[in-house]
Amino acid sequence: MNAKQIYDAIHQIAPFDSAESWDNPGLLVGSPQAKADPLGLALDVTPQVLSLAREKGIQTILTHHPVIFHPLKQVCQGSPVFGLIQSGITVISAHTNLDRSPQLGTNRVLAERLGLWEGSLSPELDEMGVLGELPPCSAPALAHRVKKALHCASVNFYDAGIPCRRIAVIAGSGGSLLEQAAIAGADTLITGDVKQDVFVSAQWLGMNLLEVSHFDLENPVFSKLGPWLEETLGIATCQLSPKNPVQWI
């Protein structure tokens, strides 16, 4: 099994040409012929992920966040790309194309974890999120539910004083879609990396807003993607980023 075969398998369920125009998914470092069994899985290439991949003899890593996102003017020692090349490790990244995947995408897996998956991504959210319904509950109660379901350390929230019924879920940084969620009839948005102005907008819109860490929203995709790759391709996978390295007190 080589990296090209992994790329082709991902392309079947999350076509790389479905990614946002500003995105940079694909085979970004290394060789299409690199050995990919076992296959490493990680949200990002961090020093810890690279060290663990070296330790386990992994030659190909599938990441969600592109290891090369902005144009590079230099590749220096101490950078992830330098470390990968030095280690002979190939990286395939599946980002917004995986967010949009209705089969095994980040938003589908997240919505399933929260009990909100209704069978499709939301066109009102540019297919970058899910709209679903829950029995009415308060914003604090929903925050506790999310915290338990995602095993995360904390959930920040704004309580608009209305029940959470129609929920929009956007993995990653989805604050820019707050107004679209409101237009679609959502009374609550769950997303990550929420800026202060988005919390203010939620207050003006009268919407509940829950902020979860970017990592905890997106890392669950590997709990489904890994087993699917193992079953489909007959390979072994190794989760290289099993828990959030950022801590809270």
Side-chain angles (χ1 to χ4, degrees):
M1 185 63 57
N2 61 34
K4 178 62 166 57
Q5 290 168 293
I6 301 298
Y7 178 98
D8 291 342
I10 297 298
H11 187 67
Q12 290 178 19
I13 61 166
F16 286 92
D17 56 7
S18 70
E20 291 286 300
S21 59
W22 47 260
D23 200 5
N24 190 41
L27 197 159
L28 302 183
V29 177
S31 167
Q33 301 307 315
K35 177 185 173 184
D37 186 5
L39 173 68
L41 305 173
L43 196 67
D44 298 279
V45 174
T46 66
Q48 293 76 18
V49 164
L50 182 56
S51 177
L52 188 57
R54 288 169 174 160
E55 178 185 319
K56 293 183 175 293
I58 289 172
Q59 296 181 25
T60 300
I61 301 174
L62 173 65
T63 72
H64 181 48
H65 295 138
V67 69
I68 299 175
F69 196 79
H70 303 291
L72 296 177
K73 294 185 177 181
Q74 57 187 14
V75 177
C76 297
Q77 186 173 6
S79 70
V81 174
F82 182 95
L84 290 163
I85 294 172
Q86 187 180 51
S87 303
I89 294 176
T90 291
V91 173
I92 301 167
S93 299
H95 193 209
T96 52
N97 57 311
L98 189 60
D99 290 334
R100 279 201 166 99
S101 172
Q103 291 95 343
L104 289 165
T106 53
N107 283 295
R108 171 172 180 159
V109 173
L110 175 61
E112 286 180 347
R113 282 278 186 99
L114 300 178
L116 289 163
W117 179 249
E118 296 182 345
S120 64
L121 298 171
S122 170
E124 296 94 339
L125 301 176
D126 299 331
E127 297 186 339
M128 294 296 289
V130 173
L131 283 170
E133 294 187 0
L134 290 174
C137 66
S138 68
L142 182 59
H144 282 292
R145 174 177 179 152
V146 170
K147 183 177 179 180
K148 181 178 180 181
L150 300 181
H151 309 290
C152 50
S154 66
V155 176
N156 298 325
F157 65 92
Y158 167 67
D159 183 354
I162 60 172
C164 303
R165 289 190 179 92
R166 183 74 168 159
I167 318 295
V169 177
I170 304 170
S173 306
S176 63
L177 294 175
L178 176 69
E179 290 190 15
Q180 286 179 237
I183 292 169
D187 52 57
T188 304
L189 171 63
I190 302 172
T191 192
D193 300 338
V194 179
K195 295 181 179 180
Q196 175 64 15
D197 65 300
V198 178
F199 274 112
V200 171
S201 294
Q203 294 170 57
W204 281 104
L205 290 167
M207 286 184 66
N208 302 303
L209 178 58
L210 279 66
E211 179 190 25
V212 183
S213 80
H214 200 120
F215 183 99
D216 292 322
L217 289 170
E218 294 187 334
N219 206 53
V221 71
F222 295 118
S223 68
K224 291 291 185 73
L225 189 56
W228 179 81
L229 287 164
E230 291 179 356
E231 181 179 353
T232 303
L233 300 179
I235 63 171
T237 64
C238 177
Q239 172 58 279
L240 300 176
S241 60
K243 64 179 182 178
N244 195 341
V246 179
Q247 300 180 10
W248 289 262
I249 57 172

